[in-house]
Amino acid sequence: MMFRNFFAATWIAAVAAAGAAEQAGSIVLGAGKVLTAPRTAAENSPADAPLRTPAMRARAAPTNQWYSNLMYPGPAEPVFAHPLTVRALAEGLELALPVLTAVPTERKDTEIRAVHRNALLVSATAFRSDAARLADTGDWSIQLSWAGPRLPGAQPQGAAPAAPDEMQATIAHGSPYAQFTVTHGGFTVRLPPAATARVSAQQPHVLRVETPTAVYAAFAPSGTVWSEASAGVWQVGAGSGRSYLSVAAMPDRSEASLALLQRHAYAFLRSTRVDWAYDANTSRVTTRFAAQTETMEGEAGPTLLGLYPHHWFDNASVADRLGPAFSTLRGPIRLLAANEFSTTVRYHGFVPRWPGLPEDSSPRVEQLRDLMKADLRNARRMMLEIGKGSYWQGKGLQRILKLADVVEAQGDTRARDQLLELVKGRMQSWFSGDDRKTYFVLDKRIGTVLAHPEEYFSIEQMNDHHFHYGYWIRSAAEIALREPSWATADRWGPIVDLLIADIATTRRGASDFPFLRHFDPYEGHSWASGNAMGGWGNNQESSSEAVNAWVGLILWAELRGDKALRDLGVWLYTTEIEAIRHYWFDVHRLVLPKEYKSAEVSMLFGGKIAHNTWWTDEPRQIKGINLLPITTASTYLGRDPEFVRRSLATLPEESRVFAARGKVAKPADIWQDIFAKYLALVDPTAALAGWDRWGSFELGDTRSHALHWMLTLQHLGTPDFSVTADTTLYTVLRSADGRRTYMAYNAGRTPLTVRFSTGVVLKVEPSELRTLRAERP
């Protein structure tokens, strides 16, 4: 589904109409503006991404992807496509089936690393290149290019100098193949030490390679013959007139697997595309993965797609068609002979805020009033207690708006309005473009929006835009749900549209922003690093902050009536959550190897998994970073009560080991509110008993919001995921006695009728959160 969303059209039209303003160094967007360059030369700009072909340089740089390190010069690092790893060298492409290795850490746990080892090197025989360059991208595939002049002896005697020749290689998530074409000559395959190769008399165009750690097969055009040019160096194809090669890793050593790989080796990937659809009537999200192939020889047939666990688990549409599996860092990747497949998962909904607590709902309502008074007094300070850039400021904005949710629910609309004015003033200062220190820049060279001042290398390395801007987008939506005129095209809406475009453009191949900058449609989750450099590929630490960004998209789309953006947001939200459950939490016990000792992954890399953070190895923060911010859109964290209990049960021992290493958590109960809210999703009474109103709190939350959250779950029950509704913004809670509480929010401008799968119907007025507590069953 190729569409141009409202947010993209809005800001593009505004830029087109603002040429004069742009020449003056800024672009006017509604009531605000973005600059076209930093205010001073001392401020950072993103690094160039030079290793792209001219065609790719005409597009926005695809930063923050699994392959983004390919665009930057420096020592060649592996790219983790799974099941393959590749390394792009000037002389050609290394490819390997990585070795999963458990590495003990000083934390007394283990990291699991996919080590790029015993690789084959594929190169062109007739020319040499100075570097590999990114030539094209699909939704889960890439093409690399090597170009250069022919070597002496490869040019016919007396012929005019030839134009530079080119070798291209295609790799893709899930594919067992690396597929090559060359404009002249053949291919050379160099084996790693201790590898052996053999060619059968019956099929001299098939080279079988065995290394100490894996088995490979290289499929040249039929009629060609592999020859060993020197020890460990094999060549094929020169002068054949058919210059293509398909090299595959084998999932095992069987002849059946070799035959399967050969049968599909000549279906060359040319493009890959993902499409999504959200059916609000059934609360179902369907994702369709489609590959376009070119048959290089033989009868036309499909390629082999490697399905990750979140693709094949509980997916009846592929269950009886799956072939052998690769053991990978993402769990078993199972082969499917097809050019397309689909997945369908349920969207469980959320509401922007929860209702108020009656006086008689708990003896602690009085305590809640006291906390609200204290938090209201400190609100301005709490809006930015740490940091100066867009991450901490965004967290502060959302923090105060979540406090506004509580005071509004408890009936204090005057205090709510004061908090809204506070947040609006801060956002408008940034959006105006007039502040000397805090402002946004539209960088057309790379194709991005940059927030100044920089935090966490968000400019230089292009890190974490979805984390940062997610807080801003959601905060803007929360304001506009209460004051729609604040977000109109003549006021602040276009700046928010621009931030959305930076992290979630759906147009492919555009020059302004890359397609879904952070999101990896095939792995099903986001990546945080802009340049993906560091030896282990890209990474994402705080999966929950990625989810928070997609919540912002959904809310913004709902209040705008933008169905395309809503569907995108629901797809991103639902898909990211499924990936979290598989690859961070492993709730189905399919992914994490037995050597991995921790209950969950806190840092997921392309090439390793770890229980750590970037800034500390203190265990409470290691666990909490994939929970925060806990809001009404975080109920997904309670879908697996057994996992919640199992994960929290590891904290005492992890803390003991931390202390035994001579380290001290400061404060000792750091983020106690996060863990209390997490536990409340499955046991609110225990959560309240363990929560200290005077204890620590995470700086993206308030004590008022934490207590209101836990008291609501104690009063109304924990999330009921068995019930769905035919609208986007809904939640169902169920108490221990079986009573359900139905909630629905109407972000539109006309009355809404909401039908739940249990038969309950709610009539919801515009801007209303409607709640119905059913009778006992």
Side-chain angles (χ1 to χ4, degrees):
M1 60 183 66
M2 192 73 159
F3 49 75
R4 170 183 269 185
N5 280 337
F6 175 82
F7 66 84
T10 299
W11 92 263
I12 291 171
V15 170
E22 183 175 352
Q23 292 176 7
S26 64
I27 300 170
V28 175
L29 295 172
K33 61 177 178 284
V34 294
L35 305 189
T36 57
R39 290 199 184 279
T40 70
E43 295 178 87
N44 275 340
S45 292
D48 192 16
L51 296 182
R52 294 178 284 162
T53 62
M56 280 299 295
R57 288 187 69 84
R59 308 178 191 176
T63 61
N64 306 88
Q65 279 295 332
W66 56 278
Y67 52 81
S68 294
N69 59 350
L70 294 168
M71 299 187 295
Y72 298 93
E77 297 175 340
V79 173
F80 298 86
H82 299 299
L84 294 178
T85 54
V86 300
R87 201 161 68 104
L89 308 175
E91 54 265 46
L93 185 73
E94 276 190 357
L95 64 100
L97 197 60
V99 180
L100 296 185
T101 306
V103 179
T105 77
E106 62 180 356
R107 302 181 301 277
K108 308 303 181 184
D109 59 18
T110 56
E111 295 181 355
I112 307 297
R113 300 177 180 178
V115 181
H116 180 76
R117 182 182 296 165
N118 297 322
L120 312 185
L121 175 61
V122 181
S123 57
T125 58
F127 68 91
R128 292 290 178 267
S129 176
D130 64 335
R133 289 173 172 80
L134 186 65
D136 200 4
T137 61
D139 289 359
W140 73 88
S141 60
I142 61 170
Q143 287 186 337
L144 293 169
S145 170
W146 290 258
R150 291 183 187 172
L151 295 172
Q155 178 76 15
Q157 213 170 23
D165 284 304
E166 182 184 27
M167 181 179 78
Q168 286 201 344
T170 300
I171 60 172
H173 273 324
S175 177
Y177 301 107
Q179 296 171 322
F180 302 83
T181 59
V182 68
T183 55
H184 179 78
F187 299 94
T188 298
V189 175
R190 289 175 170 81
L191 309 186
T196 60
R198 59 184 172 88
V199 177
S200 73
Q202 294 77 24
Q203 294 186 312
H205 63 293
V206 178
L207 180 71
R208 181 181 173 118
V209 178
E210 296 196 20
T211 76
T213 52
V215 182
Y216 304 88
F219 304 99
S222 58
T224 60
V225 177
W226 283 96
S227 62
E228 190 170 19
S230 59
V233 179
W234 291 76
Q235 294 183 333
V236 72
S240 70
R242 293 183 296 161
S243 297
Y244 50 86
L245 177 66
S246 185
V247 182
M250 293 177 57
D252 52 55
R253 296 174 180 271
S254 70
E255 291 299 320
S257 290
L258 177 62
L260 176 68
L261 289 164
Q262 183 170 356
R263 192 156 56 246
H264 299 277
Y266 299 108
F268 273 40
L269 280 176
R270 291 301 180 228
S271 67
T272 54
R273 183 181 175 96
V274 61
D275 292 295
W276 55 90
Y278 164 52
D279 184 346
N281 290 325
T282 62
S283 208
R284 294 283 180 176
V285 177
T286 298
T287 308
R288 176 177 175 266
F289 300 89
Q292 184 179 22
T293 58
E294 177 185 356
T295 302
M296 306 304 286
E297 65 174 67
E299 294 184 5
T303 187
L304 288 176
L305 300 174
L307 274 58
Y308 286 47
H310 76 283
H311 297 141
W312 57 258
F313 177 76
D314 201 23
N315 185 352
S317 69
V318 300
D320 60 350
R321 297 189 290 143
L322 296 172
F326 289 89
S327 178
T328 79
L329 194 65
R330 299 289 182 266
I333 290 182
R334 305 179 68 179
L335 295 179
L336 175 70
N339 277 359
E340 64 176 71
F341 69 94
S342 296
T343 64
T344 301
V345 295
R346 179 178 290 178
Y347 167 68
H348 291 286
F350 65 91
V351 289
R353 53 187 181 271
W354 281 349
L357 289 160
E359 288 292 326
D360 61 356
S361 63
S362 170
R364 300 180 76 164
V365 171
E366 179 64 31
Q367 183 182 117
L368 176 62
R369 278 197 294 270
D370 291 342
L371 291 175
M372 287 164 50
K373 291 176 184 176
D375 286 339
L376 287 168
R377 286 195 301 270
N378 295 315
R380 181 175 293 277
R381 174 181 58 79
M382 290 194 300
M383 193 163 57
L384 188 60
E385 289 195 73
I386 186 174
K388 298 179 180 179
S390 57
Y391 176 74
W392 280 105
Q393 183 60 88
K395 280 176 68 78
L397 296 170
Q398 185 167 306
R399 179 190 202 184
I400 300 307
L401 286 166
K402 294 299 99 183
L403 175 61
D405 288 349
V406 176
V407 299
E408 178 178 358
Q410 297 307 116
D412 192 346
T413 55
R414 181 172 176 271
R416 175 207 61 190
D417 291 344
Q418 291 173 343
L419 294 173
L420 287 177
E421 290 302 313
L422 188 64
V423 172
K424 286 193 298 182
R426 186 64 57 84
M427 293 188 79
Q428 289 165 195
S429 175
W430 280 69
F431 286 175
S432 71
D434 294 329
D435 191 276
R436 299 301 301 176
K437 295 181 179 179
T438 57
Y439 57 92
F440 292 94
V441 170
L442 179 62
D443 187 318
K444 293 188 176 183
R445 179 178 55 91
I446 292 294
T448 188
V449 179
L450 305 168
H452 288 259
E454 181 174 29
E455 274 186 329
Y456 305 119
F457 300 101
S458 59
I459 295 177
E460 183 182 353
Q461 297 179 15
M462 290 288 296
N463 293 346
D464 301 343
H465 284 201
H466 61 326
F467 297 160
H468 296 215
Y469 300 164
Y471 283 111
W472 289 77
I473 294 162
R474 183 169 180 181
S475 296
E478 301 270 8
I479 293 170
L481 289 174
R482 297 166 167 108
E483 187 182 330
S485 63
W486 186 86
T488 56
D490 62 337
R491 296 191 68 194
W492 306 105
I495 303 284
V496 182
D497 293 335
L498 188 65
L499 297 181
I500 295 173
D502 183 73
I503 66 171
T505 286
T506 55
R507 292 169 300 120
R508 296 165 173 88
S511 61
D512 45 16
F513 301 106
F515 174 69
L516 298 179
R517 181 187 304 280
H518 292 272
F519 196 71
D520 186 328
Y522 206 78
E523 289 219 357
H525 61 82
S526 306
W527 296 110
S529 171
N531 59 28
M533 299 175 74
W536 297 108
N538 214 321
N539 73 88
Q540 178 161 267
E541 184 180 53
S542 185
S543 58
S544 48
E545 288 183 298
V547 170
N548 189 64
W550 313 140
V551 171
L553 264 62
I554 294 169
L555 292 175
W556 189 253
E558 281 288 296
L559 69 91
R560 286 289 192 88
D562 185 342
K563 182 178 180 296
L565 180 58
R566 178 205 67 180
D567 290 358
L568 171 66
V570 169
W571 174 65
L572 292 168
Y573 174 84
T574 305
T575 307
E576 188 104 35
I577 288 170
E578 285 301 309
I580 292 166
R581 297 178 73 232
H582 279 278
Y583 309 119
W584 274 260
F585 296 167
D586 192 23
V587 297
H588 304 298
R589 307 290 184 101
L590 298 171
V591 175
L592 298 181
K594 65 181 185 301
E595 295 84 2
Y596 187 77
K597 298 179 180 180
S598 304
E600 66 278 306
V601 171
S602 59
M603 301 177 80
L604 184 137
F605 289 76
K608 73 174 181 178
I609 53 176
H611 200 248
N612 202 359
T613 75
W614 285 111
W615 77 94
T616 181
D617 61 357
E618 190 279 310
R620 297 174 68 88
Q621 294 169 83
I622 289 173
K623 194 176 296 289
I625 193 59
N626 279 288
L627 305 177
L628 62 81
I630 294 183
T631 72
T632 51
S634 305
T635 53
Y636 72 91
L637 292 169
R639 279 177 63 181
D640 305 281
E642 186 275 333
F643 172 77
V644 174
R645 294 186 177 94
R646 176 162 55 90
S647 174
L648 288 174
T650 65
L651 264 180
E653 175 61 15
E654 290 168 351
S655 298
R656 186 197 66 77
V657 170
F658 183 73
R661 294 167 53 209
K663 296 198 169 189
V664 178
K666 297 181 180 179
D669 68 342
I670 190 167
W671 292 4
Q672 60 113 19
D673 56 330
I674 295 294
F675 301 116
K677 292 169 77 174
Y678 186 36
L679 179 59
L681 286 167
V682 300
D683 191 343
T685 299
L688 282 161
W691 179 71
D692 179 4
R693 67 171 290 186
W694 305 114
S696 75
F697 53 90
E698 195 269 327
L699 296 182
D701 203 4
T702 62
R703 292 187 172 103
S704 298
H705 187 257
L707 182 57
H708 184 267
W709 166 276
M710 291 183 284
L711 291 177
T712 300
L713 290 169
Q714 185 184 52
H715 176 51
L716 299 179
T718 55
D720 185 348
F721 299 102
S722 69
V723 183
T724 60
D726 63 353
T727 192
T728 307
L729 302 178
Y730 75 92
T731 289
V732 180
L733 304 178
R734 187 173 184 173
S735 59
D737 63 4
R739 292 182 69 184
R740 288 189 173 106
T741 297
Y742 298 85
M743 304 181 201
Y745 186 86
N746 181 3
R749 301 293 166 257
T750 58
L752 178 68
T753 299
V754 178
R755 295 171 177 83
F756 290 85
S757 58
T758 55
V760 169
V761 177
L762 293 183
K763 305 286 187 180
V764 192
E765 295 300 315
S767 302
E768 180 189 15
L769 173 65
R770 180 74 190 281
T771 301
L772 172 68
R773 191 162 197 203
E775 296 299 321
R776 288 180 175 84

